[in-house]
């Protein structure tokens, strides 16, 4: 796995998720916290049982790739989240994990499937099961020595790989922290049970929410995503290991220089062409313009 450039990885034995994790997720859905992301509810059974994603899956390898900059934070012209400044992580992680999945299958005669965010796999749950980290007060996975500004990529496989153990409960990284992440959230989106209500979360509102924003919404200057709860976390201030983040996640000049004037005059097609390899491809020009003008 070292060759993939992942900063950490662990293996979990794959089965259905625990009843508690499943019922917590269903309660979160029942509370409406998924906002308009109906696909989360539609695929709840797959999220519970990874064998519906890959028949006979017995192991899941979860790998963490940090994206926060090693030095000073870059300053794009528009308020774009740090994760979205470089190349699209879906493509990068797939490219990097593919040789490992192929090698496993060649050696074990197994079948493997790479999941990067888009498949209904509970990557953070499996990361915790594998001992990669713990879920923080802000609902992000906290990995020792790496923090929480991470992309996660998983290899679901029918190969039987010796699993790692979860971290001991005493090792919780939030234990001695007075939760600056919760205070930093401008919209009080982090709930007492450490889940996030997407209806309030600026990451959801600026990226996923289509059409007019709900009455009374303030975006606090955000245009694409929000880093406030992650940047407030002390675990994201420790130095990253050498070679991290990977060069793939270095800010792209076209993303850094994008501004309101350019966006206003850019056609949908030109935007799609220019940002085809960037996480910004998830947005539409009209969504970004809506966000830009919203707090005026
Ligand atoms: S991403 Fe922003 S809005 Fe969402 S929970 Fe974190 S601080 Fe709050
Ligand atoms: S800021 Fe503190 S409470 Fe919040 S996730 Fe980080 S360590 Fe945990």
């Amino acid at each position: 796995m070292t060759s993939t450039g992942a900063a950490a990885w662990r293996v979990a034995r794959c089965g259905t998720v625990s009843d508690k994790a499943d019922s917590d997720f269903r309660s979160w859905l029942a509370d409406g916290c998924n906002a308009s992301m109906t696909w989360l509810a539609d695929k709840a059974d797959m999220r519970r049982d990874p064998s519906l994603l890959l028949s006979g899956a017995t192991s899941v390898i979860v790998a963490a790739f940090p994206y926060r900059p090693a030095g000073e934070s870059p300053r794009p012209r528009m308020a774009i989240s740090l994760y979205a400044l470089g190349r699209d992580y879906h493509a990068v992680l797939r490219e990097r994990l593919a040789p490992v999945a192929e090698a496993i299958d060649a050696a074990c005669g197994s079948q493997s499937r790479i999941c990067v965010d888009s498949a209904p796999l509970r990557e953070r749950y499996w990361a915790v099961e594998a001992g990669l980290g713990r879920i923080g007060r802000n609902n992000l996975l906290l990995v020792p020595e790496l923090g929480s500004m991470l992309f996660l990529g998983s290899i679901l496989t029918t190969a039987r790989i010796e699993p790692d153990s979860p971290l001991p409960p005493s090792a919780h990284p939030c234990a001695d922290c007075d939760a600056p992440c919760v205070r930093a959230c401008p919209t009080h989106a982090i709930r007492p049970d450490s889940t996030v209500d997407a209806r309030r979360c600026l990451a959801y509102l600026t990226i996923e929410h289509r059409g007019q924003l709900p009455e009374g919404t303030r975006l606090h200057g955000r245009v694409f995503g929000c880093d406030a709860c992650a940047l407030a976390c002390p675990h994201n201030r420790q130095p990253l290991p050498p070679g991290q983040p990977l060069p793939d996640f270095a800010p792209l000049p076209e993303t850094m220089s994008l501004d309101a004037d350019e966006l206003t005059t850019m056609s949908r097609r030109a935007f799609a062409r220019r940002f085809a390899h960037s996480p910004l491809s998830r947005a539409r020009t009209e969504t970004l313009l809506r966000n830009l003008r919203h707090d005026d």
Side-chain angles (χ1 to χ4, degrees), residues 134 167-173 175-176:
R134 305 290 301 272
L167 296 176
S170 58
H172 202 290
D176 297 319

Side-chain angles (χ1 to χ4, degrees), residues 250-271:
L252 296 170
E254 61 268 35
T255 305
M256 293 296 288
S257 65
L258 183 65
D259 63 15
D261 290 344
E262 203 176 10
L263 200 52
T264 311
T265 54
M266 200 181 292
S267 70
R268 235 191 216 199
R269 185 173 292 187
F271 180 87

Side-chain angles (χ1 to χ4, degrees), residues 98-256:
V100 176
E102 284 161 17
I104 292 171
D105 290 349
C108 306
S110 52
Q111 283 191 308
S112 298
R113 177 173 174 178
I114 297 169
C115 303
V116 184
D117 205 15
S118 46
L121 179 74
R122 294 187 60 171
E123 288 176 316
R124 282 177 298 164
Y125 173 86
W126 293 111
V128 172
E129 288 294 299
L132 189 60
R134 305 290 301 272
I135 302 298
R137 178 71 183 86
N138 55 7
N139 202 238
L140 299 174
L141 180 79
L142 274 166
V143 175
E145 280 140 48
L146 297 180
S148 64
M149 301 181 91
L150 307 162
F151 299 125
L152 294 180
S154 304
I155 302 174
L156 197 56
T157 180
T158 59
R160 286 193 179 275
I161 304 174
E162 187 63 32
D164 294 296
S165 304
L167 296 176
S170 58
H172 202 290
C174 299
D176 297 319
C177 183
D178 67 349
C181 54
V182 174
R183 295 195 300 280
C185 177
T187 57
H188 311 290
I190 304 172
R191 307 203 307 167
D193 65 357
S194 298
T195 60
V196 170
D197 186 341
R199 291 166 297 190
R200 290 174 167 269
C201 179
L202 298 172
Y204 162 78
L205 289 165
T206 56
I207 300 171
E208 302 293 343
H209 184 88
R210 302 287 184 233
Q212 281 210 322
L213 289 162
E215 183 88 16
T217 299
R218 280 194 61 218
L219 295 183
H220 300 268
R222 308 306 197 273
V223 176
F224 188 89
C226 171
D227 294 319
C229 57
L231 288 175
C233 179
H235 294 288
N236 287 326
R237 278 179 225 128
Q238 57 198 328
L240 287 171
Q244 298 291 346
L246 297 175
D248 300 288
F249 305 128
L252 296 170
E254 61 268 35
T255 305
M256 293 296 288

